[in-house]
Amino acid sequence: MLMSVIEPELASSVYGELAGARVLITGLTASGGVDVARAFAEHKARLIVQTPDLSTELVELTAHLSEVACEVRLFDEPIENQESAIRLAQKSATAFGGFDVVINFITAQKAPISGDYDDLADYVSQTLLPATLVTRVAANRMRLMHTEGSILNVVSMPPPAGRREAGVATLVRATLSDLTRREAQAWADAGIRVNAIGPRSADGMGHCLASEPEIAALALYLASRKGRQLSGQVFDAENASLHC
């Protein structure tokens, strides 16, 4: 329902206010987040990019982004715990004096084939942990620096191969929804917005994001003035996969 309302705003929109915006993108890989990084670079944002996989493709992408964006910084330190999330936030704040937009890409590993509920709960927790840490550290930084910013967590999963994997995707989606709602409420008084994109639940209906260009368009919208009324929302991605 919500996507059908804002969808007309997403088509070929340009947001001049994003020029010079300080944008932190974490979890960027050659197969996830490239279009989002390019979109903000084309809006002349200042990019801080963290990648867990400094491949040749990522080096080439960074070189391209540097030619288009206002400025680009690259970090390849993994985010594994609260200390590493704090270090990244500190480096980012030092580089650009803070940030206005944070986008975390989370690629879920294949769900365990067998196991009890505790195993699944641990899988979901470990999947969402890096983004949760960065969200809280980044939001705290924004509040300390009086920045009314936007945080977007993007979770991708392999397309479910059966009923059990579809159920796991639904569990990840439900946990992400609860997390997003709680974080949005926690930081609302500081003007910080928290939204997410996640795997579509089995009973999901309505418009679904079907490609990375659509995700990039939504990320720009949420970071712009037009998206300032949206927080605590989780948008669906087609087939529980964002790598199209």
Side-chain angles (χ1 to χ4, degrees):
M1 179 66 178
L2 180 58
M3 275 302 301
S4 64
V5 173
I6 69 175
E7 189 176 5
E9 298 282 353
L10 302 182
S12 303
S13 294
V14 177
Y15 308 100
E17 68 270 24
L18 294 180
R22 301 161 299 179
V23 181
L24 170 62
I25 301 176
T26 74
L28 180 69
T29 66
S31 60
V34 172
D35 287 289
V36 173
R38 284 175 175 166
F40 279 95
E42 289 168 0
H43 277 72
K44 302 302 178 183
R46 303 169 71 190
L47 301 181
I48 304 168
V49 177
Q50 181 273 339
T51 177
D53 178 24
L54 192 57
S55 61
T56 302
E57 291 84 354
L58 256 296
V59 173
E60 293 175 352
L61 173 64
T62 303
H64 170 72
L65 295 176
S66 298
E67 296 175 355
V68 181
C70 182
E71 189 174 351
V72 178
R73 301 289 181 92
L74 178 66
F75 297 114
D76 61 355
E77 180 179 346
I79 303 171
E80 298 175 333
N81 50 44
Q82 186 170 357
E83 287 71 26
S84 56
I86 292 173
R87 282 197 300 272
L88 176 62
Q90 289 174 334
K91 290 179 180 178
S92 302
T94 300
F96 292 158
F99 25 73
D100 306 290
V101 181
V102 177
I103 303 173
N104 300 306
F105 284 93
I106 309 100
T107 302
Q109 301 302 312
K110 191 172 180 63
I113 297 175
S114 60
D116 55 21
Y117 179 80
D118 288 341
D119 292 330
L120 289 178
D122 184 62
Y123 165 79
V124 174
S125 176
Q126 292 303 314
T127 295
L128 299 180
L129 179 62
T132 303
L133 293 172
V134 175
T135 293
R136 292 172 179 169
V137 172
N140 187 55
R141 286 274 170 176
M142 287 178 176
R143 183 169 63 184
L144 289 173
M145 305 187 79
H146 306 287
T147 300
E148 295 186 359
S150 171
I151 299 175
L152 177 65
N153 293 314
V154 185
V155 179
S156 65
M157 298 183 69
R163 183 175 300 177
R164 185 178 185 282
E165 290 187 7
V168 173
T170 298
L171 179 60
V172 171
R173 172 70 165 67
T175 306
L176 176 66
S177 180
D178 181 63
L179 173 66
T180 303
R181 198 163 44 244
R182 286 189 284 108
E183 292 299 320
Q185 292 172 351
W187 305 102
D189 62 343
I192 299 166
R193 305 168 323 270
V194 182
N195 295 289
I197 299 171
R200 190 179 194 180
S201 57
D203 58 351
M205 300 179 65
H207 182 88
C208 228
L209 297 165
S211 67
E212 253 205 37
E214 287 191 7
I215 293 168
L218 178 60
L220 289 172
Y221 179 87
L222 293 173
S224 74
R225 294 192 188 99
K226 291 183 177 180
R228 285 183 177 174
Q229 76 279 15
L230 295 177
S231 190
Q233 303 292 326
V234 180
F235 300 87
D236 289 332
E238 190 68 55
N239 297 325
S241 177
L242 306 182
H243 304 324
C244 303

